[in-house]
Amino acid sequence: MGQSILCPQCDKRFKLSDNPPAQATCSGCGTLMDLTAFQNAAPAAPNSPEPSTPKPVSHRASRAGARRRRRPAARRGVRQEGPRQQPAMTGGQQAILIFVGVLIVTLLIIVAARDDDDEPVRKKPPTVANQPDPEPSRPYVPEPIAPTGAEPGNTKDGAKEPERKRKVPLNRKGMPRLSRLELTTHAWPDEVPADVRARVDKAIDEMYGGGRDGVEAGEWLVTQGRVIAGRLISEFRAIEESPGFDNRDGAGKAMVIDSVLRRLDGQIERYWEERERIRAWGTYGSPRFIKRIARRWTWWWIEDEWKLNPRKPWDPFEDESDTTPDGRKTAEPEKDPKKKGYGKRAGSGD
């Protein structure tokens, strides 16, 4: 019985005779097939007729076979061995990468060089449609640093006053540069006795503990006056080292120190025009805001502002108003001393 084979190229089926030839050409694609293995398997039959001559392959079939032979090995299902080579980077791509890297480094340098004494970002509340914009607030005019009452550079008796040497330089607007001012500890003034120093240290620990004892300790510190403020300002350095300004415990301690200092002097509100206080969380409890307030208190102490420019503590009930654009009460006009009560009645002719 004859055998059947398939063309290895186009899968066309052929039926072999009992004595197939050594080679045969596929009539579909023109592939030359090796049939020697079938010659040994099948015994030669006597008087076998000569193998028929294969039919000529058409040009269309030959072109189809050539296209199949030219197909890539991956499309025929043959797996390619070895890692795939990545294309080399061109000169233009390298230039783009270098430019992007230089741009990123420049932006980082600019951000690091910015002044750390910026105000926190405050979102503007949404306005209702068809509602006029609020009136613009008055321009920022800080209180003068130099003492008032005498001409600049002269004392009350007319003598020339020596120029004041400042430890913190001023910028072009006349404001202290606090971006590079480091927090440090401060020595006690000579006029503070030893027993008061020990009592202040104990009162600070009691304030951190909270409760009624903490409230009474804070009130006692306020009664001692500005002379003990240096010891309170030194606490900012200790808090920065441990537990730090970046956690709730450190922010809570800084809030306690800031509240007592603001009851001693109003330089934060009146000179820096910052009415927001340190909080234990939120925007005003961030390390950046806490350090800015601590630097302002440090400047106030080392520049002897607590002696030369003492400022009245800020009182929200007396100093704030809801009717002005900037939230401050305007100065009341001076009364005319000639007008007293109803001394002159309308229509009296007096």
Side-chain angles (χ1 to χ4, degrees):
M1 184 176 181
Q3 299 182 9
S4 299
I5 63 172
L6 296 177
C7 176
Q9 195 64 243
C10 64
D11 295 338
K12 187 174 182 180
R13 182 181 296 274
F14 293 93
K15 185 176 181 180
L16 298 179
S17 60
D18 295 337
N19 188 16
Q23 293 179 350
T25 304
C26 178
S27 59
C29 61
T31 303
L32 187 62
M33 298 179 292
D34 186 9
L35 305 179
T36 55
F38 298 96
Q39 287 182 335
N40 297 331
N47 300 327
S48 60
E50 294 293 333
S52 60
T53 304
K55 298 181 180 180
V57 180
S58 63
H59 294 285
R60 183 176 180 181
S62 61
R63 285 196 301 268
R67 284 196 301 268
R68 294 188 183 93
R69 287 193 297 269
R70 287 196 301 266
R71 286 189 304 175
R75 295 183 60 184
R76 294 198 302 266
V78 180
R79 184 177 179 181
Q80 296 181 353
E81 300 294 336
R84 184 178 180 181
Q85 297 181 356
Q86 297 293 337
M89 186 177 297
T90 62
Q93 294 175 342
Q94 294 179 355
I96 293 175
L97 290 178
I98 294 175
F99 174 75
V100 173
V102 173
L103 182 61
I104 293 175
V105 173
T106 304
L107 292 176
L108 292 178
I109 294 175
I110 293 175
V111 172
R114 288 184 59 188
D115 189 4
D116 195 28
D117 200 23
D118 296 335
E119 295 294 332
V121 179
R122 301 174 183 175
K123 296 182 179 179
K124 183 179 179 181
T127 57
V128 183
N130 301 326
Q131 181 179 0
D133 295 335
E135 298 180 2
S137 60
R138 64 181 178 87
Y140 176 71
V141 181
E143 295 183 3
I145 300 178
T148 58
E151 296 182 0
N154 297 329
T155 58
K156 295 182 179 179
D157 56 358
K160 192 69 175 179
E161 182 182 2
E163 185 179 357
R164 180 180 173 185
K165 295 182 179 179
R166 297 190 176 276
K167 299 179 182 179
V168 180
L170 305 179
N171 57 17
R172 296 179 180 178
K173 298 181 180 180
M175 300 294 294
R177 294 181 178 179
L178 305 183
S179 58
R180 298 185 179 181
L181 182 62
E182 297 295 335
L183 305 182
T184 182
T185 56
H186 310 281
W188 282 101
D190 297 335
E191 57 266 28
V192 181
D195 57 338
V196 175
R197 300 179 184 182
R199 181 69 182 90
V200 170
D201 293 339
K202 182 179 179 181
I204 293 175
D205 294 336
E206 291 176 353
M207 284 197 308
Y208 289 159
R212 182 61 185 175
D213 294 339
V215 174
E216 293 178 353
E219 294 176 352
W220 180 84
L221 290 173
V222 174
T223 60
Q224 302 305 307
R226 296 179 177 87
V227 70
I228 66 166
R231 175 63 182 88
L232 296 173
I233 298 173
S234 300
E235 281 294 301
F236 287 119
R237 171 65 183 276
I239 298 172
E240 183 183 25
E241 293 180 352
S242 178
F245 295 148
D246 56 349
N247 58 82
R248 192 167 181 173
D249 188 14
K253 290 184 177 181
M255 178 182 66
V256 172
I257 299 298
D258 180 53
S259 63
V260 177
L261 290 172
R262 297 202 187 206
R263 294 168 64 185
L264 293 175
D265 193 272
Q267 65 104 8
I268 298 293
E269 293 88 356
R270 301 187 185 277
Y271 178 71
W272 298 100
E273 294 193 347
E274 178 59 74
R275 294 194 294 272
E276 297 295 342
R277 301 192 175 194
I278 297 176
R279 299 288 186 267
W281 59 85
T283 303
Y284 302 106
S286 63
R288 187 176 182 180
F289 181 77
I290 296 175
K291 194 167 186 178
R292 178 164 62 253
I293 298 298
R295 283 174 173 173
R296 290 173 177 176
W297 283 117
T298 302
W299 164 83
W300 174 77
W301 181 259
I302 65 178
E303 292 288 359
D304 292 334
E305 287 287 311
W306 61 282
K307 293 181 180 179
L308 302 177
N309 283 325
R311 295 175 174 87
K312 181 182 177 181
W314 183 266
D315 189 351
F317 296 99
E318 297 181 0
D319 299 318
E320 295 183 6
S321 174
D322 296 333
T323 60
T324 56
D326 60 347
R328 287 189 169 196
K329 284 186 177 180
T330 57
E332 296 182 359
E334 297 182 0
K335 297 181 179 180
D336 190 356
K338 296 181 180 180
K339 296 181 179 180
K340 296 181 180 179
Y342 297 95
K344 183 177 180 181
R345 298 177 62 183
S348 62
D350 297 337

